[in-house]
Amino acid sequence: MLYTNNEIDRAYYFTILRTPWGKQVEDGLLSKSMGRIDDRTGMLEKLLKKSTQNNIRFVFYGGENSSIRNAMMLLNRDFDSCEWHEHLKENEIICDDNTVYIVSADVDDGRGLEKLAEAGLENGENYFITQRFLYYTEGGFGL
């Protein structure tokens, strides 16, 4: 995929397009990139809807990393005033309509997303994965 607009990535992209399989690669790159943009936009729309509801409590779940900090800034939350957990046990997960988890994909040694799902939470409804709605420069997945 084309991750950045830097000189090396652009050179790689335009070089691969000149190969015999360039058309197939271009179609795949564009398709994947558009898919990620659609996914990111969808997650941001859902998150915006949640953030404008009254009495929503955001819980930031993940270590103090760039994706968690950038998610806090995106939601206009100050780090010192936020509720955040580096680790959560299954019995600490709150399942209600007023609690939304903002979670880093690699939290709890990669088991955090599984813990949230096992607790009955739904991705894009009760929890949002930072890497799905942030750009790669903010700690998200690349385009």
Side-chain angles (χ1 to χ4, degrees):
M1 279 185 276
L2 188 59
Y3 288 102
T4 68
N5 195 28
N6 72 35
E7 188 177 324
I8 293 171
D9 281 353
R10 283 193 320 270
Y12 174 80
Y13 180 75
F14 290 116
T15 300
I16 203 163
L17 291 180
R18 290 192 295 269
T19 65
W21 58 91
K23 180 66 176 150
Q24 292 170 321
V25 171
E26 180 182 28
D27 291 345
L29 288 171
L30 291 175
S31 177
K32 286 180 184 178
S33 294
M34 292 307 295
R36 289 201 186 239
I37 289 170
D38 287 346
D39 181 62
R40 179 174 291 124
T41 302
M43 285 293 115
L44 286 170
E45 286 174 348
K46 291 176 183 179
L47 186 55
L48 176 62
K49 183 178 177 183
K50 286 286 186 182
S51 69
T52 58
Q53 294 175 357
N54 291 331
N55 301 320
I56 291 295
R57 175 177 156 241
F58 286 103
V59 176
F60 295 87
Y61 177 27
E64 187 178 344
N65 60 41
S66 64
S67 70
I68 291 292
R69 283 194 170 276
N70 284 316
M72 287 177 179
M73 288 189 322
L74 178 71
L75 293 166
N76 201 24
R77 303 296 196 270
D78 179 39
F79 187 79
D80 294 329
S81 66
C82 285
E83 179 178 350
W84 72 277
H85 300 272
E86 189 167 349
H87 304 284
L88 280 175
K89 296 177 184 165
E90 284 83 357
N91 64 351
E92 297 174 320
I93 298 170
I94 298 169
C95 298
D96 64 29
D97 291 335
N98 296 325
T99 304
V100 174
Y101 289 87
I102 307 297
V103 59
S104 181
D106 56 358
V107 68
D108 276 337
D109 298 322
R111 282 217 356 96
L113 300 178
E114 186 179 329
K115 286 181 183 180
L116 294 175
E118 287 172 357
L121 300 179
E122 186 179 333
N123 185 8
E125 182 63 32
N126 310 103
Y127 70 92
F128 293 85
I129 304 165
T130 59
Q131 288 85 351
R132 284 187 66 187
F133 64 83
L134 295 175
Y135 285 101
Y136 77 96
T137 56
E138 301 168 324
F141 295 134
L143 283 176

